[in-house]
């Protein structure tokens, strides 16, 4: 995935398993394959019907867990989470799965997405005297579950989930059951698989493959699937929205190319984006190079579509830590320098098409154009496999503010000038949606500014942007 400061930050990845041997090891494998969705913290909670045990910490999956810590988590089901957070919210309390003890036992949950009405619900409970342990939006679901209004009535979890607005994929567990749920607009992907008689849930199908599970189907928007010793049951906690809002940015950038989400293989969609880009923005050039890794598939598609040969203009050092873990811009910029090297032998004397998945602030793309030219490229034509990213996301993706987004304040020509590129072309919104038979069922708000939910109360409030962000607390 695109690793620099000039990229949107990932969201989170979740896993749930039931009826399997060594669930902690299986969840570990699933989280490992979802590492691209969050690199700052990870956690696993496991239960055996009586006891619940957990292990979590900050860092990559293979740094947080050891063989010993996994072996200490005993049971036959559990959930896991990988998380990205902003600098300000690196609190251990925020690391998921969240685990609380209610009057009727232990509950744990892991969340991907952002609840747009979390502040409202939180404030309602705080006014009534509730104490929150974290600064995440996800915790409001715990309070809803513990609320006597919901606790004392049938369909408690479904009723609590129905109170939430925004983007969510949840895996929730008690000491004897596992629940997976997806919001009614289907913003976030969540898939279900099987291993023998056991059930497995993951944010992406690459997680299922890593765990050795067979894909069964997507968890449907508005659906809640419960698995316990009596088997698997599906219920609807909310009617699916007439028009869904599946996050198209998953296809552009977030999801792993080998995953199949929203009914499509991600690599194939990105190839298609590259081909469409070559039709929308053709150029005479000698080679097509990708900005690795997330630009790879689209660059290949551009090469296929244009007939211009693909070559490796950049080589990525995979052993450098992901730059956004480092908080200061200067450190991040150093990280970028260490991470991508230009191959002068490939680009010298050539007219180069540089294909990338997106431009956020523009600073990193400008550096790359400069490096290609320093290495002897005679022309650099930048092609981006999505439309200009000009608006904030309120559904769990950490884009900078509109003012910081280069497309939020500059025209395409001004951006081209800023990058120092000879030409610049973005994929159109029509092109972005064209691989899908149901184009209306996708969210494109960060490109179009047309939000699928009411976000008027959130504009300008960084605090509400994501389940992994710090809420602003009055003291
Ligand atoms: S605003 Fe963009 S990143 Fe956010 S959910 Fe919509 S498409 Fe995805």
């Amino acid at each position: 995935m695109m690793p620099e400061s000039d990229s949107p930050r990932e969201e989170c990845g979740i896993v749930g398993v039931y009826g399997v041997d060594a669930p902690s090891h299986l969840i570990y494998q699933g989280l490992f394959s979802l590492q691209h969705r969050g690199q700052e913290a990870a956690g696993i909670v496991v239960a055996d019907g009586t006891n619940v045990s957990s292990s979590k910490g900050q860092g990559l999956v293979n740094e947080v867990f050891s063989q010993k810590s996994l072996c200490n988590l005993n049971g036959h089901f559990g959930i896991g989470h990988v998380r990205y957070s902003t600098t300000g919210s690196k609190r251990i309390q925020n690391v998921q799965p969240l685990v609380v003890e209610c009057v009727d036992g232990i509950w744990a949950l892991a969340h991907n997405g952002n609840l747009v009405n979390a502040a409202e619900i939180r404030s309602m409970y705080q006014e009534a005297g509730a104490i929150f342990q974290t600064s995440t939006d996800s915790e409001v679901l715990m309070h809803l579950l513990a609320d006597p209004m919901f606790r004392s009535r049938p369909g408690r979890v479904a009723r609590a989930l129905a109170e939430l607005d925004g983007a969510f994929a949840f895996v929730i567990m008690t000491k004897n059951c596992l629940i997976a749920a997806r919001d009614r607009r289907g913003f976030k992907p969540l898939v279900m698989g099987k291993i023998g008689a056991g059930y497995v849930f993951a944010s992406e199908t690459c997680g299922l493959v890593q765990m050795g599970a067979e894909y069964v189907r997507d968890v449907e928007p508005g659906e809640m699937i419960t698995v316990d010793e009596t088997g698997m049951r599906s219920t609807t906690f909310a009617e699916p929205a007439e028009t869904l809002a599946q996050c198209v940015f998953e296809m552009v950038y977030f999801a792993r190319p080998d995953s199949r989400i929203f009914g499509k293989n991600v690599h194939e969609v990105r190839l298609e984006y590259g081909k469409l880009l070559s039709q929308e923005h053709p150029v005479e050039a000698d080679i097509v190079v990708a900005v690795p890794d997330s630009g790879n598939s689209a660059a290949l598609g551009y090469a296929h579509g244009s007939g211009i040969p693909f070559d490796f203009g950049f080589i990525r050092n995979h052993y450098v830590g992901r730059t956004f873990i480092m908080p200061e811009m200067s450190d991040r910029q150093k990280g970028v320098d260490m991470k991508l090297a230009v191959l002068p032998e490939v680009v010298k004397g050539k007219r180069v098409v540089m294909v990338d998945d997106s431009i956020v602030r523009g600073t990193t793309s400008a550096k790359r154009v400069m490096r290609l030219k320093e290495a002897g490229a005679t022309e650099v034509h930048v092609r981006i496999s999505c439309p200009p990213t000009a608006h904030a996301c309120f559904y769990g993706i950490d884009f900078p503010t509109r003012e910081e987004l280069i497309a939020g304040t500059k025209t395409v020509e001004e951006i081209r000038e800023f990058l120092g590129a000879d030409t610049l072309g973005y994929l159109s919104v029509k092109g972005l949606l064209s691989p899908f038979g149901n184009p209306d069922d996708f969210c494109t708000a960060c490109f179009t500014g047309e939000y699928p939910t009411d976000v008027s109360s959130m504009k300008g409030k960084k605090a509400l942007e994501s389940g992994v962000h710090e809420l602003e607390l009055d003291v």
Side-chain angles (χ1 to χ4, degrees), residues 267-279:
H267 166 70
E268 286 177 355
V269 170
R270 290 181 189 166
L271 266 182
E272 184 64 19
Y273 285 165
K275 277 187 201 163
L276 291 165
L277 198 49
S278 74
Q279 290 157 14

Side-chain angles (χ1 to χ4, degrees), residues 187 247-249 392-393 395 397 399 443-446:
F187 275 103
C247 171
V248 79
F249 217 81
C393 171
Y395 308 116
I397 310 301
F399 283 123
C443 174
T444 57
C446 48

Side-chain angles (χ1 to χ4, degrees), residues 6 10 59 69 75 94 114 129 154 164-165 167 176 180 214 229 275 287 304-305 314-315 329 380 388 440 444 449 466:
D6 195 21
E10 278 79 352
S69 67
N94 286 352
N114 182 51
L164 304 177
D165 193 13
N176 48 28
E214 194 184 324
E229 60 185 10
K275 277 187 201 163
I287 53 167
H304 290 171
F314 292 102
I315 298 298
M329 176 62 87
V380 177
D440 291 344
T444 57
S466 167

Side-chain angles (χ1 to χ4, degrees), residues 2 12 51 192 285 329 398 412 452-453 459:
M2 192 174 161
C12 300
N51 297 307
M192 178 170 78
M329 176 62 87
D398 182 24
V412 173
T453 66
K459 289 191 172 167

Side-chain angles (χ1 to χ4, degrees), residues 345-393:
E345 291 76 5
V346 170
V347 303
K348 194 172 179 184
K350 306 262 177 62
R351 295 168 298 171
V352 177
V353 181
M354 180 183 98
V355 181
D356 204 351
D357 59 88
S358 55
I359 300 177
V360 178
R361 290 184 176 86
T363 46
T364 308
S365 301
K367 270 191 172 188
R368 290 189 177 135
V369 172
M370 191 172 76
R371 295 241 165 76
L372 287 171
K373 291 204 167 178
E374 282 169 357
T378 55
E379 293 172 14
V380 177
H381 303 276
V382 177
R383 296 293 179 269
I384 304 299
S385 60
C386 70
T389 313
H391 303 270
C393 171

Side-chain angles (χ1 to χ4, degrees), residues 1 8 23 67 82 93 102 162 179 245 248 269 274 296 310 342 347-348 364 390 409 424 441:
M1 309 303 284
Q67 185 66 259
V82 285
Q93 296 97 317
C102 273
I179 296 162
V248 79
V269 170
N296 288 349
F310 175 89
V342 175
V347 303
K348 194 172 179 184
T364 308
T409 55
L424 168 64
D441 285 334

